[in-house]
Amino acid sequence: PYDVLIVGGGPAGAASAVYAARKGVRTGVVAERFGGQVLDTLAIENFISVKETEGPKFAAALEEHVKAYDVDIMNVQRAEALVPGSKLIEVKLANGGTLKSKSVILSTGARWREVNVPGEREYRNHGVAYCPHCDGPLFKGKRVSVIGGGNSGVEAAIDLAGIVQHVTLLEFAPELRADAILQRKLYSLPNVTVVTQAQTTEITGDGQKVNGISYKDRQSGEQHHIELEGVFVQIGLVPNTEWLKGTIALSKHGEIEVDARGQTSIPGVFAAGDVTTVPYKQIVIAAGDGAKAALSAFDYLIRSSVE
Ligand code: FAD
């Protein structure tokens, strides 16, 4: 069995692997796609000490760093179930195999919910963005739209309004769902337009990048088109925890509940990164979280009598 088995190979899982391996304990990483979300990222400019890099390059560097240690990397393997036990914890894989470990770190990340309209996939990273903290500065002085009027959409619109020329917030429902205090702030901004009852129908582009957004007024049925350079989709971040439902304590958003040390509701099982309740989903935060979970797992191992 492993001492530390990590499920997920994004920044959180990679950091856990390096920290665990450096303790000299038997470490394994199972990942559906080693690298995680950064594989889908174009420019990364906020990982401190790295002024600028690209997602795939960053992912390759994660892998290289993990491979510098004695870590079993099991890539393109999906975990389907976690089975806690009194001595060993089992992780069942989609390929039928079972891995056993004295401690487990869950770092399966999250994914942005998509609007599923024409243009969204085509122009992803070419005007379609999901993370205002990451990509906001790319749209300095330009016109953007934010899809979604919940807390994250309204926070994004407020944040972007300070950087871009103009923000149009599109909300599907008749009213915004964000907290009243955020709405007050939003409506106080001169360069923000809010459109409710707006069903996004298409993100348009010139073949290279986004040049507009089309929506239907759900009340009148009229079609509208706005010319702009960027679209931020803010309709939710979904944690990859479907396979853990009923096994471990999850928040109402489906995130794994962790304490300050990354401990979950199951002894010996820790979690790190976007899959957890940690606020702010960012690479630098996930990596720090992964380090923390590995140190907690090591602490657990030296205190438990499992042989
Ligand atoms: P993830 O990166 O999501 O990794 C999860 C890992 O778990 C993957 O290896 C995945 O394959 C694996 N996995 C999932 N389910 C299973 C399963 N059942 N079995 C086995 N493996 C599984 N952040 C920044 O700080 N700066 C940026 O500029 C930035 N830009 C971004 C741009 C885009 C387009 C996106 C999508 C995100 C961006 N982010 C950025 C956010 C950042 O990528 C995440 O916060 C970070 O990757 C989270 O790391 P993680 O390790 O927690 O999860």
Side-chain angles (χ1 to χ4, degrees):
Y2 290 102
D3 291 310
V4 180
L5 177 64
I6 300 151
V7 187
S16 290
V18 168
Y19 267 75
R22 285 171 63 84
K23 293 294 184 192
V25 297
R26 192 153 179 243
T27 306
V29 182
V30 194
E32 205 172 349
R33 202 166 63 119
F34 197 96
Q37 289 172 69
V38 292
L39 288 172
D40 305 322
T41 306
L42 213 55
I44 300 169
E45 301 180 353
N46 57 4
F47 189 80
I48 203 67
S49 85
V50 181
K51 212 169 80 194
E52 203 185 334
T53 186
E54 280 151 22
K57 222 162 113 185
F58 188 88
L62 287 179
E63 191 162 356
E64 194 188 17
H65 199 168
V66 173
K67 282 187 169 159
Y69 294 92
D70 190 13
V71 173
D72 283 354
I73 299 185
M74 294 156 271
N75 197 5
V76 206
Q77 296 294 337
R78 189 159 53 88
E80 277 194 338
L82 177 77
V83 187
S86 58
K87 282 208 167 111
L88 291 173
I89 302 152
E90 289 182 0
V91 171
K92 294 199 184 300
L93 304 180
N95 72 6
T98 298
L99 300 168
K100 294 181 181 172
S101 185
K102 295 174 187 169
S103 71
V104 168
I105 297 174
L106 303 170
S107 55
T108 48
R111 55 190 193 273
W112 298 97
R113 186 171 282 134
E114 300 180 355
V115 275
N116 280 316
V117 294
E120 180 179 28
R121 290 263 168 103
E122 292 87 322
Y123 295 110
R124 188 174 188 153
N125 290 330
H126 299 280
V128 176
Y130 296 83
C131 174
H133 311 303
C134 314
D135 298 336
L138 300 176
F139 297 91
K140 191 165 183 247
K142 298 187 172 154
R143 298 162 299 179
V144 304
S145 163
V146 171
I147 303 176
N151 278 341
S152 52
V154 172
E155 279 168 14
I158 294 168
D159 173 0
L160 291 166
I163 304 170
V164 306
Q165 185 200 107
H166 190 266
V167 182
T168 307
L169 184 137
L170 301 178
E171 164 60 46
F172 184 83
E175 274 151 37
L176 301 183
R177 286 159 293 127
D179 299 341
I181 188 159
L182 288 173
Q183 293 196 36
R184 270 204 299 282
K185 173 75 190 174
L186 182 75
Y187 283 113
S188 77
L189 299 170
N191 59 339
V192 176
T193 310
V194 176
V195 187
T196 55
Q197 305 254 52
Q199 181 180 357
T200 305
T201 51
E202 185 176 0
I203 296 168
T204 60
D206 62 6
Q208 304 281 320
K209 50 188 177 16
V210 167
N211 63 13
I213 192 164
S214 300
Y215 68 91
K216 186 172 96 179
D217 181 324
R218 295 175 57 231
Q219 210 167 15
S220 67
E222 258 173 64
Q223 277 286 343
H224 296 268
H225 182 79
I226 312 173
E227 286 180 13
L228 41 69
E229 287 76 38
V231 176
F232 283 81
V233 181
Q234 295 289 301
I235 54 174
L237 185 67
V238 190
N240 297 319
T241 51
E242 288 83 356
W243 65 289
L244 295 167
K245 282 201 175 113
T247 315
I248 204 164
L250 303 176
S251 73
K252 67 172 198 264
H253 301 297
E255 303 159 321
I256 301 170
E257 285 182 347
V258 286
D259 69 8
R261 294 171 170 268
Q263 170 70 58
T264 68
S265 61
I266 303 173
V269 179
F270 302 84
D274 281 15
V275 75
T276 71
T277 46
V278 70
Y280 310 116
K281 314 303 195 204
Q282 293 283 282
I283 299 166
V284 70
I285 293 171
D289 237 31
K292 201 162 55 175
L295 295 176
S296 297
F298 182 68
D299 211 37
Y300 168 83
L301 290 173
I302 60 177
R303 280 157 212 266
S304 63
S305 52
V306 184
E307 262 318 305

